[in-house]
Amino acid sequence: MFRIQTYYLLGSAILMAVLPFLFPLWKDAHGKDYYFMMDLSYVALFGLSFTLSILSIISHKKRQQQFVMGRLNIILNLILLGLFVYRTLTSSGETAISEKGVGMFLPIFSIVLLVLANKAIKKDEDLVKSVDRLR
């Protein structure tokens, strides 16, 4: 049986590894879909986020390390979200980005799942510390 944070981390990993291939980030002025793999920095950030989620799942016995990786993953997703916002705000009107896609909001969903996972990890850590105090 897995702990609840494993499911949250797995959900975040799926969000960052599978769904970007299915949902475009936005449509350009010509109506073409713009996917994450068209920009190397987006590929790197989505890949790093996926890798951190998987490493967090694997290191389930080290709660502190898992918590830190979750925090790093949240920061990484905030950077990715910031790049998306920067890209939409610096484009001149409707010339570069015509319509935002669902893929642009994937980091937000991932951040929510990572926050829930970190909350569950913290709860486990507090439980272990309280049991250690009783000994």
Side-chain angles (χ1 to χ4, degrees), residues 2-10 56 59-60 62-64 66-68 70-71 74 111-129:
F2 294 112
R3 297 181 300 174
I4 189 70
Q5 59 262 33
T6 305
Y7 294 113
Y8 291 140
L9 291 168
L10 189 62
S56 291
S59 66
H60 65 278
K62 301 173 187 168
R63 285 176 301 279
Q64 282 298 99
Q66 200 177 26
F67 188 78
V68 169
R71 287 256 172 110
I74 290 170
I111 289 170
V112 169
L113 289 173
L114 290 167
V115 166
L116 290 172
N118 270 2
K119 192 174 177 182
I121 293 166
K122 181 76 171 144
K123 188 176 169 183
D124 278 357
E125 185 66 25
D126 291 343
L127 181 66
V128 168
K129 283 182 182 178

Side-chain angles (χ1 to χ4, degrees), residues 2-101:
F2 294 112
R3 297 181 300 174
I4 189 70
Q5 59 262 33
T6 305
Y7 294 113
Y8 291 140
L9 291 168
L10 189 62
S12 175
I14 290 170
L15 271 173
M16 301 313 273
V18 177
L19 295 183
F21 287 103
L22 302 176
F23 298 113
L25 297 176
W26 52 75
K27 291 182 187 266
D28 61 7
H30 304 296
K32 293 182 181 176
D33 290 337
Y34 187 90
Y35 287 93
F36 82 103
M37 54 232 155
M38 295 177 177
D39 190 343
L40 189 60
S41 61
Y42 297 151
V43 172
L45 289 173
F46 272 105
L48 278 173
S49 180
F50 167 73
T51 305
L52 276 175
S53 292
I54 295 299
L55 286 175
S56 291
I57 292 171
I58 291 171
S59 66
H60 65 278
K61 296 208 185 257
K62 301 173 187 168
R63 285 176 301 279
Q64 282 298 99
Q65 184 180 1
Q66 200 177 26
F67 188 78
V68 169
M69 281 192 276
R71 287 256 172 110
L72 287 173
N73 206 347
I74 290 170
I75 292 169
L76 192 64
N77 278 296
L78 286 172
I79 291 170
L80 186 60
L81 189 62
L83 282 175
F84 291 158
V85 169
Y86 175 77
R87 177 81 183 244
T88 58
L89 292 178
T90 58
S91 63
S92 58
E94 289 288 314
T95 56
I97 299 172
S98 176
E99 182 180 317
K100 292 168 191 65

